[in-house]
Amino acid sequence: MSNPRNALAQQLAEAVYQALSDDLERQDKVLLVVSGGSTPVAFFAALAQKPLPWARVQVTLADERWVDAQSQDSNARLVREHLLIGEAANAEFVTLTTSDETPEQGVDEIARRVEPLAWPASVVVLGMGGDGHTASLFPDSPELGLAMTTDEALVAVRTPSQPQPRITLSAARLHQARRHFLHITGDDKRAVLGSAMGGDDVRQLPIRAFLSCPLAIYWAP
Ligand SMILES: O=C(O)C(O)[C@@H](O)[C@H](O)[C@H](O)COP(=O)(O)O
């Protein structure tokens, strides 16, 4: 019997492939925004197999941890190892870190780096944590209010619940995308999503900010 999480990853890869292909009929370049964490690995592997004109695909991250590119915690490393393989290595990948000590020091440079990309993004694939965070929009982050309201593309965030400082695309920049997908697995996250649907306090469960994008939910046990 096929593993439901692998099947989900295949279905999501097919949907993202179709979306990017549609936009590539009208645009020279298309932008795909992906999330980090552990869930996207099988999705990345499935998407990397798709026959896209990868040199016309730009990839960036919804958020990043302020760590070295080689760190096990680096979302860029995850993308490089699992998505940018084979033909997909021809994609243009724009990372969200600099050699600065802190994301506050690097954020302006990264903003200049991402600005020439083909916004609005064709696709944003979000993940979600057990606390209802998505991208690096965390309930316990003092910068959550700013990240939810600013017109800037990026916000440096400090989150007591997380070991490293982070940088995140703002809610406005994520919202702007043409299509939004949520990729989650497990009963716990399903329950969190259920709670998110039953209320409207974005500060409590930041994923709520994206429920009406509309958000295509890809869930498996
Ligand atoms: O860098 C990150 O951590 C993220 O981009 C984050 O928003 C992630 O999508 C969720 O935390 C889910 O992470 P898991 O897939 O590891 O559960």
Side-chain angles (χ1 to χ4, degrees):
M1 207 173 79
S2 89
N3 174 327
R5 294 187 180 191
N6 284 340
L8 180 77
Q10 293 289 345
Q11 287 160 12
L12 178 58
E14 180 62 24
V16 171
Y17 164 60
Q18 290 296 340
L20 296 177
S21 300
D22 284 354
D23 286 357
L24 280 162
E25 286 181 16
R26 290 180 298 275
Q27 294 172 222
D28 179 34
K29 297 276 174 85
V30 293
L31 175 60
L32 166 65
V33 177
V34 295
S35 291
S38 54
T39 309
V41 170
F43 158 66
F44 287 164
L47 186 62
Q49 301 297 319
K50 298 293 182 189
L52 282 162
W54 282 100
R56 294 168 56 204
V57 177
Q58 300 170 333
V59 178
T60 195
L61 286 157
D63 68 316
E64 180 61 285
R65 301 103 184 259
W66 204 256
V67 294
D68 288 344
Q70 291 75 29
S71 163
Q72 285 301 307
D73 292 327
S74 163
N75 287 338
R77 185 192 56 78
L78 194 82
V79 168
R80 285 204 173 91
E81 288 182 2
H82 298 281
L83 177 57
L84 304 180
I85 50 178
E87 286 298 310
N90 293 312
E92 176 187 354
F93 180 40
V94 174
T95 60
L96 302 185
T97 53
T98 64
S99 55
D100 292 296
E101 284 287 303
T102 69
E104 289 81 4
Q105 291 167 331
V107 67
D108 289 346
E109 179 183 331
I110 300 166
R112 286 192 292 276
R113 192 188 295 162
V114 303
E115 218 44 56
L117 292 172
W119 305 100
S122 289
V123 170
V124 166
V125 182
L126 294 170
M128 185 187 74
D131 58 357
H133 84 261
T134 190
S136 282
L137 305 169
F138 284 87
D140 65 331
S141 163
E143 295 84 8
L144 178 64
L146 174 65
M148 285 292 185
T149 53
T150 184
D151 291 334
E152 301 291 327
L154 292 155
V155 179
V157 298
R158 302 271 165 170
T159 302
S161 62
Q162 299 302 310
Q164 305 101 358
R166 291 173 173 234
I167 187 163
T168 188
L169 289 183
S170 63
R173 193 53 71 114
L174 291 165
H175 272 139
Q176 194 193 69
R178 295 210 177 86
R179 306 169 192 84
H180 298 80
F181 295 87
L182 177 65
H183 184 196
I184 54 171
T185 55
D187 290 334
D188 291 355
K189 287 191 182 180
R190 182 179 164 156
V192 173
L193 188 61
S195 302
M197 288 172 173
D200 58 12
D201 184 351
V202 167
R203 290 207 64 97
Q204 213 178 17
L205 294 170
I207 188 64
R208 283 179 172 143
F210 299 92
L211 293 180
S212 59
C213 274
L215 188 62
I217 296 165
Y218 281 69
W219 173 85

